[in-house]
Amino acid sequence: MTERRDRLYDRPGEVGDFVFDAAVAQVFPDMISRSVPGYAAIINMIELLSAMHAQPGSRLYDLGCSLGAASLAMARGLVQPDCHIIAVDNAPAMLERAREHAVGAAQTIDFRLSDIRDVEIRDASMVVLNFTLQFVPLEDRETLLQRIRGGLRPGGILILSEKIAGESPQTDAALVEMHHAFKRQQGYSDLEISQKRTALENVLLPETLATHLQRLEHAGFARVHPWFQCFNFVSMVALA
Ligand code: GEK
């Protein structure tokens, strides 16, 4: 399995909408770690949170699993017996690589090629949406969160990580500026940053933290704790 440095946007050209295809799958670990500040820390904490919250004989879901980094982290953290990890993505190229990555994992992972809006969630103690809800059409987000809430056992948790929009145009501009400085520090050029931004414009739709908190409450979660933020990247734990 070869993994490459992300150079997908380093030549000027016509930029179409971003898709999770074979070219993206091949560079994905490099792309996400140089694009999402704190990604490694979040994956690490997913391991810790699975040790804390997974319940015996329950299901753990990784929705929009990409190459399965969060599933593998949950598998490493598991201390309870008879848990079943289900990892879902609708991009065949991502799932194919995820299966390769999972060879030799601490626990069997059940990979499913499906839209996360169609997956039945039941008997879950932990559900992870690590930078996936941002790609789901706005009008479908609340229904999905309600279904997740309905499929969680008492005491179960949802980990929701998202790129967010600032509460005001000024805050948003400051967060975007810091994020772009991070990307430059990680070796991306201004051309790569601007072409990637164009590619994601109609595909990744960020919302404010207040909108997320309100919607989670609406969906029936008892409490929500934002536990991580770096610039415009946030992770929350929502308790059933
Ligand atoms: C990680 N969680 O490494 N149904 C299924 N999959 C979807 C859908 C959908 N409706 N929409 C998007 N995806 C991972 C990172 S990446 C985040 C998640 C990013 C999938 C899509 O195919 C992609 O693999 C993933 O969600 C988003 O912890 O690239 O910024």
Side-chain angles (χ1 to χ4, degrees), residues 6 17 51 56 67 164 231:
D6 170 23
D17 278 350
L67 305 200
I164 58 156
F231 310 140

Side-chain angles (χ1 to χ4, degrees), residues 20 28 32 39 43 62 64-66 69-70 89-91 94 114-117 130-132 134-136:
F20 291 96
F28 191 74
I32 196 150
Y39 175 76
I43 292 294
D62 179 8
C65 64
S66 294
D89 207 288
N90 64 354
M94 302 297 270
S114 170
D115 194 300
I116 59 173
R117 290 168 293 180
N130 203 37
F131 302 106
T132 305
Q134 61 197 20
F135 294 105
V136 171

Side-chain angles (χ1 to χ4, degrees), residues 77-94:
L78 269 182
V79 286
Q80 298 295 347
D82 306 321
C83 290
H84 183 180
I85 302 178
I86 298 157
V88 183
D89 207 288
N90 64 354
M94 302 297 270

Side-chain angles (χ1 to χ4, degrees), residues 98-200:
R99 288 197 170 98
E100 294 169 11
H101 269 242
V103 173
Q107 150 116 19
T108 309
I109 297 168
D110 177 0
F111 288 102
R112 297 186 187 170
L113 179 67
S114 170
D115 194 300
I116 59 173
R117 290 168 293 180
D118 300 331
V119 169
E120 186 197 14
I121 313 285
R122 67 179 171 87
D123 205 22
S125 60
M126 186 163 174
V127 177
V128 172
L129 277 170
N130 203 37
F131 302 106
T132 305
L133 191 66
Q134 61 197 20
F135 294 105
V136 171
L138 291 170
E139 64 275 18
D140 294 342
R141 293 182 185 182
E142 176 139 4
T143 309
L144 174 61
L145 292 174
Q146 282 168 349
R147 289 186 36 248
I148 291 171
R149 171 64 190 86
L152 278 165
R153 287 184 181 180
I157 61 163
L158 163 68
I159 297 172
L160 174 62
S161 310
E162 286 278 288
K163 183 176 190 183
I164 58 156
E167 303 286 342
S168 69
Q170 291 81 358
T171 307
D172 195 65
L175 293 173
V176 167
E177 194 186 340
M178 289 186 276
H179 177 223
H180 287 178
F182 168 78
K183 291 192 75 167
R184 276 194 291 276
Q185 183 206 50
Q186 296 298 308
Y188 283 114
S189 66
D190 288 337
L191 177 71
E192 287 175 293
I193 294 170
S194 111
Q195 295 199 134
K196 177 76 176 286
R197 193 180 191 183
T198 305
L200 286 173

